[in-house]
Amino acid sequence: MAEFQRLGIRKFPKIATRQTSETRYWKKLSFPIIVKEYGTVSHVDFCRSKPHNFIATSSSRIQIYSSSSNQVNKSFSNFKEKVYCGSFRNDGNLIVAGRENGSVQVFDVNSRAVLRDFKGHTSPVQVTKFMLDNLHVMSGSDDRSVVCWDIATGQDITTFKEHKDYVRCGAPSQRSEDLFVTGAYDHWLKVWDVRSQGSVLSMDHGSPVESVQIFPTGGLCVSAGSNIVKVWDILGGGRLLAGFSNHQKTITSICFDGDYKRLLSASLDRHVKIYDVQDYTVFHSMDYPSPILSLAVSPDNTHVVTGMANGFLSIKYRMRQDVQHEVQTANKLTAGTYSYFVRGKNFQPDKGDFVVSAPRKHKLKEHDQLLKKFQYSKALDSVLRKPPYSRTPLLVSLLQELTRRKGLKRALAGRDEDSLVPVLEFLIRHVSNPRYTVLLIDVANAVLDIYGPVCGQSAKVDQLFTRLKDRIGSEIHFQQTSFELLGSLDTLFAAAVSTLSLTTDHDEGQ
């Protein structure tokens, strides 16, 4: 004997809300800690060595935050003008920063003393980074020059002046001690080798370059300008590999996560987008209350820090894996307990998992049980008793099923005033909804066929029939007006095309 097929509720278009494993991963970040800085937070940088403290550069102050307490450990505030791009050396012992007066300074983290003060730029220096060997510093300035400095001697090794506009971003190679890349407002990315006298490679981004990063392999780099991110093949001669845009406004900062499996971009549209570096599809998006100027992710993926234009620093973090393991060990389930009995009850498989399902006998709902017994009128009544906000798709599906079974008139016939009123009220409310109109017109015709001969016996029912007539008449009038307007627009468009064609022919004749 065939199993009874339950009523299938029609599904109408809606926004997908299913969460992927990647979405759940990023949503595990804590509610952000918001810290008020002394100005717009122009740069954030993490130390590569443990405990992965981070720097926030804002206005005339550089502050070092502890990754464990998320509080300020040290503050460098003896600047008379703005300071830019405070960056850690890989070992975390030194910091380099550019100043508005054109100097580049190297600080000792422990004593906060100025160890080196490089002078050579004539405009504010907004790009400073340590090279891979930790013995040299590269800098880029608004005077359009790029300089590589020797920390030991305090002298410049080489100076490049090929950029035609402000140099606002740069990144050293993680494979070579001599290579680094810079981006400028002249739309160009340039790869430099300190052993040469000029750039070894140039790439046109097409808009002012705000941020640049190099993959750890050293063969690819990523640039951000306007609202577009582009991926370049350095080893392939600067060939463009990909370009994508998922922001509405200018992208101000891009960075990798600690595993270099994800790329993050921050924009003035207040969003951070997270991409898969395999195909650059968007994994997840995070919203912030203000335009974002700087972004960084800790090497152990426990912190996501953003600096905003309103002077606030947002710190999102998650527990480290070793701490999570200790918590899980402390909460280890014991056999025989209730938690052990219900373990895995709410587990949801990830996308792509192979799920082996066992046949289950589903309990039929009230309307399905009545449909199974061919009690169509009672099935309709059972759905009409539900709250209005939850019954609409179910009731539409039931009416469609009754029409398919040729049982619609059976379900509507033999009703008194109290049981007919909900049907008429539903028709009046939804007959003009384009998703249901075709079906509900047939239902309305069936109601009129059954109860038309007895009109006049109930004032309430007669009033509802009048309202239904007015609703349908109003919709017909609206459709007629729409078609008249469409005809007028077609006439105007045809006249415009004809006029354009005559003008073109006349110009060609002359």
Side-chain angles (χ1 to χ4, degrees):
M1 184 175 179
E3 184 180 354
F4 175 76
Q5 296 295 326
R6 295 181 299 163
L7 176 65
I9 301 176
R10 293 183 61 188
K11 295 181 179 180
F12 298 97
K14 62 180 182 179
I15 300 175
T17 57
R18 185 179 185 276
Q19 292 188 356
T20 63
S21 58
E22 192 71 22
T23 302
R24 291 193 294 270
Y25 174 80
W26 290 102
K27 282 193 173 183
K28 287 182 180 178
L29 290 169
S30 67
F31 190 80
I33 298 173
I34 303 297
V35 180
K36 177 62 177 175
E37 283 288 350
Y38 296 88
T40 58
V41 184
S42 60
H43 187 72
V44 178
D45 184 63
F46 274 92
C47 180
R48 302 299 301 178
S49 60
K50 293 183 178 181
H52 305 304
N53 295 332
F54 59 93
I55 294 177
T57 306
S58 64
S59 186
S60 59
R61 189 181 297 261
I62 297 175
Q63 300 203 109
I64 301 178
Y65 286 80
S66 168
S67 60
S68 57
S69 64
N70 299 313
Q71 299 294 324
V72 177
N73 269 354
K74 292 183 174 64
S75 181
F76 298 77
S77 57
N78 56 342
F79 304 104
K80 296 181 180 180
E81 65 282 313
K82 286 186 178 180
V83 62
Y84 303 99
C85 200
S87 302
F88 273 114
R89 197 168 73 169
N90 288 339
D91 57 11
N93 293 325
L94 299 181
I95 291 175
V96 64
R99 299 184 62 173
E100 194 171 25
N101 61 7
S103 66
V104 178
Q105 293 183 331
V106 178
F107 304 89
D108 179 75
V109 172
N110 295 321
S111 64
R112 289 181 283 190
V114 179
L115 302 182
R116 289 289 184 269
D117 190 356
F118 304 120
K119 298 184 180 296
H121 292 292
T122 58
S123 296
V125 180
Q126 301 206 33
V127 184
T128 55
K129 299 287 182 180
F130 284 97
M131 300 289 285
L132 180 64
D133 59 6
N134 293 330
L135 302 176
H136 299 87
V137 170
M138 57 81 57
S139 63
S141 170
D142 286 356
D143 63 8
R144 300 172 291 180
S145 65
V146 177
V147 182
C148 183
W149 309 89
D150 183 10
I151 299 177
T153 63
Q155 302 296 320
D156 64 300
I157 298 176
T158 182
T159 301
F160 305 104
K161 296 185 177 181
E162 294 184 20
H163 281 299
K164 305 300 181 183
D165 209 334
Y166 299 156
V167 181
R168 289 296 174 87
C169 58
S173 171
Q174 299 186 42
R175 300 289 291 180
S176 171
E177 299 178 351
D178 302 309
L179 295 178
F180 61 95
V181 62
T182 58
Y185 279 7
D186 59 4
H187 301 186
W188 285 91
L189 292 164
K190 292 185 179 290
V191 180
W192 310 96
D193 189 331
V194 297
R195 298 165 295 187
S196 64
Q197 299 301 315
S199 62
V200 296
L201 188 63
S202 297
M203 298 161 285
D204 184 7
H205 184 88
S207 55
V209 184
E210 299 284 351
S211 185
V212 63
Q213 292 289 336
I214 300 181
F215 277 81
T217 58
L220 302 176
C221 73
V222 186
S223 62
S226 183
N227 63 338
I228 302 172
V229 179
K230 293 186 177 181
V231 184
W232 308 89
D233 184 1
I234 297 177
L235 297 181
R239 180 168 57 97
L240 178 63
L241 297 180
F244 47 95
S245 176
N246 290 281
H247 289 280
Q248 302 299 319
K249 295 184 180 180
T250 300
I251 299 172
T252 55
S253 182
I254 55 176
C255 69
F256 293 103
D257 72 337
D259 302 323
Y260 292 91
K261 295 180 180 178
R262 306 172 185 89
L263 176 69
L264 289 84
S265 63
S267 168
L268 296 179
D269 63 8
R270 303 183 297 105
H271 284 84
V272 170
K273 305 287 185 180
I274 303 168
Y275 310 87
D276 180 5
V277 297
Q278 300 297 323
D279 54 8
Y280 302 105
T281 56
V282 177
F283 271 150
H284 186 59
S285 178
M286 294 185 287
D287 189 16
Y288 287 84
S290 178
I292 305 170
L293 300 182
S294 54
L295 168 70
V297 180
S298 63
D300 57 0
N301 290 327
T302 58
H303 287 69
V304 176
V305 180
T306 54
M308 291 174 279
N310 60 0
F312 285 98
L313 187 72
S314 171
I315 306 172
K316 292 185 176 182
Y317 66 95
R318 65 165 59 87
M319 287 193 300
R320 298 190 309 272
Q321 292 184 356
D322 55 345
V323 177
Q324 289 180 350
H325 178 71
E326 292 177 1
V327 174
Q328 291 172 358
T329 303
N331 297 332
K332 190 174 180 180
L333 299 177
T334 304
T337 62
Y338 175 76
S339 300
Y340 183 84
F341 177 77
V342 298
R343 69 193 187 282
K345 180 179 179 180
N346 298 323
F347 176 78
Q348 296 293 332
D350 293 334
K351 184 178 181 181
D353 287 352
F354 182 78
V355 180
V356 179
S357 58
R360 296 176 57 188
K361 185 176 181 180
H362 299 280
K363 183 179 179 180
L364 297 179
K365 295 184 179 179
E366 182 182 4
H367 59 269
D368 282 322
Q369 294 175 355
L370 295 170
L371 282 176
K372 187 176 181 181
K373 297 176 182 178
F374 303 100
Q375 297 178 0
Y376 297 151
S377 182
K378 292 183 178 180
L380 182 58
D381 290 336
S382 69
V383 177
L384 288 171
R385 288 195 298 267
K386 295 182 180 296
Y389 61 85
S390 64
R391 74 184 180 193
T392 302
L394 177 59
L395 186 53
V396 171
S397 302
L398 178 61
L399 292 172
Q400 188 174 31
E401 177 67 14
L402 292 174
T403 302
R404 187 185 69 82
R405 294 187 178 206
K406 298 181 180 180
L408 180 61
K409 289 189 176 182
R410 284 177 53 189
L412 295 173
R415 293 179 172 269
D416 56 13
E417 178 181 335
D418 294 336
S419 59
L420 182 59
V421 166
V423 177
L424 292 174
E425 288 178 343
F426 179 80
L427 291 174
I428 293 170
R429 180 177 301 177
H430 297 289
V431 72
S432 60
N433 190 323
R435 296 183 296 177
Y436 314 136
T437 299
V438 175
L439 174 65
L440 296 187
I441 287 294
D442 293 337
V443 177
N445 288 331
V447 173
L448 290 172
D449 290 342
I450 297 172
Y451 297 99
V454 294
C455 281
Q457 298 183 9
S458 170
K460 187 173 184 180
V461 172
D462 292 345
Q463 184 182 6
L464 291 175
F465 272 122
T466 303
R467 288 176 56 193
L468 179 61
K469 175 187 173 182
D470 294 341
R471 175 60 65 89
I472 295 176
S474 175
E475 184 65 21
I476 293 174
H477 176 71
F478 174 76
Q479 294 292 338
Q480 290 175 345
T481 305
S482 299
F483 278 113
E484 291 173 1
L485 179 60
L486 182 61
S488 300
L489 291 175
D490 288 340
T491 303
L492 292 174
F493 290 152
V497 171
S498 177
T499 303
L500 179 62
S501 177
L502 291 174
T503 304
T504 304
D505 294 341
H506 178 70
D507 293 342
E508 291 178 353
Q510 288 182 345

